[in-house]
Amino acid sequence: MTADRATLAVDDLRVRYVGRAEQALDGVSLVVGPGEMVGVAGRTRAGKSTLALVAAGFIPRVIRARLEGRVTLDGLSVPTATAAQLGGRVGIVFSTPANQLSTSKLTVRDELAFGLENLAIPRSDMDRRIDDVLDRLGIAHLADREPLALSGGEQQRVAIASILAMGTGLLVLDEPAAELDPVGATAVADILADLSAAGTATLVAEHLVGILGRATRVAVLDRGHVAVEGPPGQALGSAAIGPIGLHPPTLVALAEAAGLPATAAFDETRIADALSSSTNAPPTTPAAGRRQMPLAWEAVRDEPPTTIEVRALVHRYPTGIDAVRGVTLSIAAGESIAIVGQNGSGKTTLVKHLNGLLRPSSGDVRLGGRTIAGRPVHEIARTVGLVFQHPDDQIFNRTVEREVAFGPRQLGVGQPSLDLLVERAIAAVGLDGERITNPYDLGSSERKLVTLASVLATEPAIMILDEPTNGQDGPGLDRVGAIVDGWTAAGRTVVAITHDMEFAAAHFGRIVVMRGGEIVADGPPDRILGPDLRDVLTSTGLIAPPAARIAARLGLPGVPRDADELLARLRRHRGTRDGAVRT
Amino acid sequence: MSSTATGYYRAGASWLHRRNPTTKLLALFWIILATFLLPPASLVVIAAAIGAAAATASLLRPLLRSLRIPLVLLASIVVVNALFFPEGRDVLFAFGPVAVTREGLTFGLVSAGRIGIIFLASLLFLFTTLADDLLEALVARGVSSRLAFVVLSAVQMVPRLQARAYAILDAQQARGLPIAGSLRTRVRALVPLIGPILLGSLIDVRERTLALEARSFGARPRRTAYRIVADPPVDRWLRVGVIVGLVAVVAVAVGGVGR
């Protein structure tokens, strides 16, 4: 199978958006050739999306900006090319799966035909091209399904297929896995690796190590320029990304600690071998001591910690589908619970019962021993705060400050407590410098932090977070983690839905695994992510985080939260073993 | 939540479902024109015809049930006109200072009837027409694909905005906003609802537009079609009939004015 071949060459690219003082890109040079998958990493606002939009020909044609430098696709100047010239040569996929589709097609087959129709491909050629791309991506079984009824991971694969069906030689992706569950993210990563191996030039901006680790090369952007470029193990290593405020991924850190070359950075077998055979366990990883202190938060409102109980909860949607099927869950004050499971396993439906947005078809939810049946949502909001997945479904104020003040104001919090809550909440998410910024001038990952702050400011006894880490870079992840740690340290409760198993292991005392509307496992990370429950986890499409996987290979007891904890356990384990030998 | 690909479409194979979208669009246009240009008495006939058409397509019940959406609007048009029609002279009955006039009641009933009929006819069109078929049929008739897409987006907009509105109300209630209760409470809940609907939709539209651009939508003057929308010979005759009807309605209206 040969793919259409193309080479993208970016030379000294500078981009400044209209009305902005700072450069979004400031002298970027990069080449993506056939058979290459180039990952673009970097912190929020480093210029990753801008680079993707330029490569796809959207800047300055669709999105206005001042552009200098050269960007060519097989010699064609991309910034000055017309839509007709670029069509069928380059395509882009963004992060929100449903928005990548034409929304009017009833089958995947029709969806793939849409681009071909626009290119005026003769009708007689369409079926062949559609079948060909369905085969190449291994999604022939989706051909007759309705695109909007597919899971996010399936939709993203259809979106990629619809671009490739047009004969595209350069595939550009802007955080394609940001909203996917681990199964979907892995499927997308597999497809990208296969496609580039078969010849498609691929440029992918991402935070997720699952995608970046599969790239042939990674370019790390810092404030508009390429800080480092090389194989993923090297470009994501501590020497490369430490100076710009990012942490190396766990596997990379462990490979470094074990003294392995960059090429082995994602090879779990080699990492485990090197760690088990080295006589002296390395003292720490090069990135040790990075864990952020828990957020210190003194109570302002007089809202005491409380318990929440879910009893035999069933939720049946009007369509007759049971989204939650008999869940019982007892949560003590001060607990931190991560709810994990594939999309569609009932996680969001379950947590929407905790503040009364959904009411049980049968069963009961009790707050501090009292049922919440009959109590209106805005009243329960005094005790239970819920941060939704999509920030754009709630932000409406002109400034970050006003948006964050909305919640406590609704609860009737007066001065000076209001100002205090707003100030602390904004500081907790690290947006001190943006208090009077319009939230819509921030990036989507920062808007997400604004919504987190807006619920934090209501100081709920029980805080529920739906996918709080989506789209966050390393520092953003640390901030969210510090908030979870600080909230529970103060005796309050956090319940978070998350796909990020590393985040779940690092900040939560209890992990609840859901599948098909039921809880299939519930316990501390040590048990849930340990070898005994590996099959249960796998059956839900999840896998233990990297440190836990390596620990299992080494036969270490327990589940380490990160690379340093793994090394510490390894040392302790060796110490007892050697001690035993000596006596 | 109904998916936006199907929108209001109700799958079926009735004679109404099988008509080409342009035929139905033309007929809808005739009905809109006729309700305004023909004498008010004809409204009863048109309403009955729509009802009969819906019944033969087994859609009468959902069509009538959906009438509750504009019911408040229609009722208030009748009441306000019955009581306050400026040219009302013939008082039917009076309660103190306000009186129901024959002219007012008639005008209110006719106005509400027109709006009700257009609502029902449009809904029946959406019930039996797939948005994508409409797009393809319009493009096949030489309508610019961009314009056709605007029509398609409009058809899909309501269910999409509905879904978004529910998500926003959820998020605002979770931050302590009361949304039910007194009129004042409901009005206060409007700003936190409408703000994100507008702003969020703009962000959505931007991403959708870029995704369409990435599929070369509108990049070439001509496009080809993968799916052929059926256009049986009977549709051609029907369209000729509807066009004759259009001319007739205009003629009656112009003649009526001249008389």
Side-chain angles (χ1 to χ4, degrees):
Chain A
M1 181 69 243
T2 57
D4 305 83
R5 294 180 172 254
T7 300
L8 172 79
V10 178
D11 185 25
D12 197 25
L13 173 65
R14 288 160 207 276
V15 176
R16 184 160 59 82
Y17 288 105
V18 177
R20 296 291 171 90
E22 78 279 15
Q23 296 279 126
L25 290 178
D26 199 7
V28 168
S29 299
L30 191 74
V31 175
V32 188
E36 282 191 311
M37 170 174 168
V38 176
V40 181
R43 296 187 55 172
T44 301
R45 289 205 222 183
K48 302 189 296 295
S49 290
T50 305
L51 180 57
L53 288 168
V54 172
F58 284 153
I59 294 177
R61 189 169 54 83
V62 183
I63 298 167
R64 290 203 303 149
R66 240 180 89 97
L67 186 146
E68 294 165 76
R70 279 164 48 86
V71 181
T72 57
L73 182 61
D74 294 334
L76 171 73
S77 166
V78 175
T80 53
T82 63
Q85 285 174 310
L86 292 172
R89 304 181 71 169
V90 55
I92 189 166
V93 174
F94 297 95
S95 54
T96 312
N99 282 0
Q100 309 313 304
L101 306 171
S102 68
T103 74
S104 64
K105 305 297 177 185
L106 278 188
T107 69
V108 166
R109 194 168 269 286
D110 289 340
E111 182 67 40
L112 297 193
F114 180 67
L116 303 179
E117 294 171 332
N118 294 331
L119 288 181
I121 304 287
R123 184 161 180 270
S124 50
D125 284 356
M126 288 186 184
D127 273 316
R128 186 184 52 76
R129 292 177 74 147
I130 292 169
D131 287 328
D132 179 53
V133 78
L134 286 171
D135 265 0
R136 252 163 78 194
L137 270 64
I139 53 169
H141 59 288
L142 300 179
D144 297 314
R145 302 268 308 276
E146 186 189 338
L148 289 176
L150 299 176
S151 74
E154 289 169 335
Q155 285 179 341
Q156 287 297 62
R157 278 178 280 167
V158 170
I160 293 170
S162 68
I163 297 286
L164 291 173
M166 297 166 70
T168 307
L170 173 66
L171 178 63
V172 181
L173 307 102
D174 189 5
E175 298 201 32
E179 298 195 9
L180 304 184
D181 60 14
V183 177
T186 308
V188 167
D190 287 345
I191 271 187
L192 295 183
D194 290 350
L195 283 174
S196 60
T200 304
T202 307
L203 181 73
V204 53
E206 250 306 343
H207 290 300
L208 285 183
V209 180
I211 302 264
L212 293 174
R214 305 289 293 275
T216 40
R217 270 182 298 136
V218 169
V220 182
L221 292 187
D222 179 36
R223 281 163 297 180
H225 66 270
V226 178
V228 57
E229 187 184 344
Q234 181 207 328
L236 300 174
S238 53
I241 63 173
I244 61 171
L246 288 169
H247 316 306
T250 300
L251 287 178
V252 177
L254 287 173
E256 286 182 9
L260 287 171
T263 46
F266 293 93
D267 187 336
E268 296 188 15
T269 315
R270 280 186 72 184
I271 293 170
D273 286 351
L275 286 174
S276 68
S277 61
S278 67
T279 42
N280 303 318
T284 55
T285 66
R290 66 176 164 98
R291 191 176 286 275
Q292 198 161 339
M293 293 298 289
L295 170 74
W297 184 284
E298 278 170 56
V300 178
R301 282 179 62 225
D302 189 20
E303 190 67 43
T306 186
T307 60
I308 189 157
E309 270 174 89
V310 177
R311 289 185 186 171
L313 179 87
V314 173
H315 190 88
R316 181 164 302 141
Y317 280 109
T319 48
I321 292 168
D322 283 355
V324 175
R325 308 195 299 181
V327 163
T328 295
L329 192 64
S330 190
I331 305 172
E335 269 200 282
S336 54
I337 298 191
I339 303 181
V340 301
Q342 263 192 63
N343 286 345
S345 58
K347 306 186 299 286
T348 299
T349 307
L350 172 64
V351 300
K352 278 172 125 182
H353 284 85
L354 302 184
N355 73 339
L357 277 172
L358 288 177
R359 304 291 176 168
S361 306
S362 72
D364 194 17
V365 176
R366 291 170 167 267
L367 202 54
R370 272 179 55 209
T371 179
I372 63 167
R375 287 175 65 190
V377 179
H378 69 266
E379 198 197 303
I380 303 170
R382 303 191 154 275
T383 318
V384 183
L386 200 166
V387 185
F388 281 88
Q389 196 176 348
H390 299 294
D392 301 334
D393 283 346
Q394 66 180 72
I395 293 178
F396 69 100
N397 282 288
R398 286 196 305 274
T399 65
V400 168
E401 205 170 68
R402 289 167 72 112
E403 185 65 36
V404 174
F406 175 77
R409 236 185 223 135
Q410 291 303 315
L411 301 183
V413 176
Q415 296 295 4
S417 302
L418 181 66
D419 281 350
L420 193 60
L421 284 168
V422 171
E423 192 185 311
R424 282 198 197 159
I426 293 176
V429 297
L431 289 174
D432 315 63
E434 310 287 353
R435 291 184 63 139
I436 52 165
T437 306
N438 188 321
Y440 284 97
D441 286 337
L442 298 171
S444 72
S445 63
E446 291 164 308
R447 282 206 296 283
K448 184 136 185 162
L449 293 175
V450 171
T451 61
L452 174 55
S454 81
V455 169
L456 207 54
T458 64
E459 203 176 64
I462 296 163
M463 182 155 59
I464 303 166
L465 311 169
D466 194 347
E467 297 294 354
T469 61
N470 271 10
Q472 297 298 331
D473 61 4
L477 269 171
D478 289 348
R479 286 227 159 77
V480 179
I483 290 170
V484 173
D485 295 345
W487 218 244
T488 44
R492 302 187 194 89
T493 307
V494 181
V495 178
I497 293 175
T498 185
H499 290 318
D500 185 338
M501 300 301 282
E502 207 159 13
F503 178 73
H507 299 285
F508 293 82
R510 185 173 160 194
I511 297 180
V512 168
V513 185
M514 288 190 73
R515 185 183 60 208
E518 291 171 322
I519 292 179
V520 292
D522 178 356
D526 270 353
R527 200 168 76 78
I528 300 293
L529 304 177
D532 296 349
L533 288 178
R534 190 186 298 149
D535 291 345
V536 176
L537 213 56
T538 313
S539 76
T540 61
L542 302 170
I543 50 167
R549 297 201 299 266
I550 300 286
R553 281 173 185 266
L554 294 171
L556 289 175
V559 172
R561 296 189 295 174
D562 56 23
D564 283 309
E565 207 178 297
L566 171 73
L567 295 178
R569 285 186 191 210
L570 188 60
R571 279 195 305 278
R572 236 178 311 156
H573 187 62
R574 293 244 166 98
T576 51
R577 196 188 55 192
D578 296 349
V581 168
R582 255 178 246 125
T583 45
Chain B
M1 197 184 97
S2 68
S3 96
T4 42
T6 47
Y8 293 102
Y9 179 71
R10 296 182 178 234
S14 74
W15 68 275
L16 213 49
H17 284 90
R18 289 197 307 272
R19 295 286 66 76
N20 185 280
T22 34
T23 313
K24 284 183 273 189
L25 196 61
L26 216 55
L28 178 63
F29 186 59
W30 182 87
I31 291 173
I32 293 171
L33 220 60
T35 52
F36 280 98
L37 295 183
L38 293 184
S42 63
L43 290 182
V44 182
V45 181
I46 297 174
I50 293 172
T56 55
S58 316
L59 287 169
L60 186 58
R61 194 186 289 252
L63 193 64
L64 291 181
R65 214 181 296 138
S66 61
L67 253 187
R68 67 194 149 85
I69 299 166
L71 203 61
V72 176
L73 173 74
L74 296 180
S76 60
I77 288 174
V78 175
V79 171
V80 168
N81 278 297
L83 296 176
F84 307 111
F85 192 61
E87 282 140 56
R89 298 284 175 270
D90 188 358
V91 175
L92 293 177
F93 38 85
F95 324 87
V98 287
V100 173
T101 62
R102 179 189 299 282
E103 294 86 347
L105 188 63
T106 314
F107 185 80
L109 281 173
V110 169
S111 305
R114 282 175 177 151
I115 293 169
I117 283 174
I118 292 171
F119 174 82
L120 289 176
S122 308
L123 206 57
L124 190 57
F125 173 71
L126 294 177
F127 275 175
T128 57
T129 311
L130 253 177
D132 195 43
D133 283 353
L134 176 62
L135 181 95
E136 294 298 345
L138 288 177
V139 172
R141 304 245 147 243
V143 173
S144 117
S145 54
R146 281 179 186 272
L147 183 65
F149 202 77
V150 170
V151 173
L152 177 71
S153 304
V155 169
Q156 294 180 325
M157 195 173 66
V158 176
R160 192 176 295 155
L161 286 184
Q162 248 172 2
R164 170 152 236 141
Y166 284 125
I168 294 167
L169 284 178
D170 276 0
Q172 308 302 31
Q173 287 182 81
R175 294 199 288 170
L177 179 77
I179 59 159
S182 69
L183 185 65
R184 189 161 167 263
T185 309
R186 285 162 190 263
V187 170
R188 270 183 5 120
L190 276 180
V191 175
L193 170 65
I194 291 169
I197 283 193
L198 293 179
L199 297 166
S201 298
L202 285 179
I203 290 179
D204 239 33
V205 165
R206 177 177 179 268
E207 201 174 297
R208 279 173 199 280
T209 309
L210 294 183
L212 285 179
E213 287 269 345
R215 312 272 291 278
S216 291
F217 184 71
R220 307 199 177 196
R222 285 249 153 257
R223 71 198 286 279
T224 47
Y226 179 59
R227 225 154 46 84
I228 306 291
V229 182
D231 193 20
V234 60
D235 271 85
R236 260 163 260 163
W237 289 111
L238 278 172
R239 282 198 293 274
V240 171
V242 175
I243 289 167
V244 171
L246 276 171
V247 174
V249 165
V250 174
V252 167
V254 173
V257 171
R259 201 165 42 195

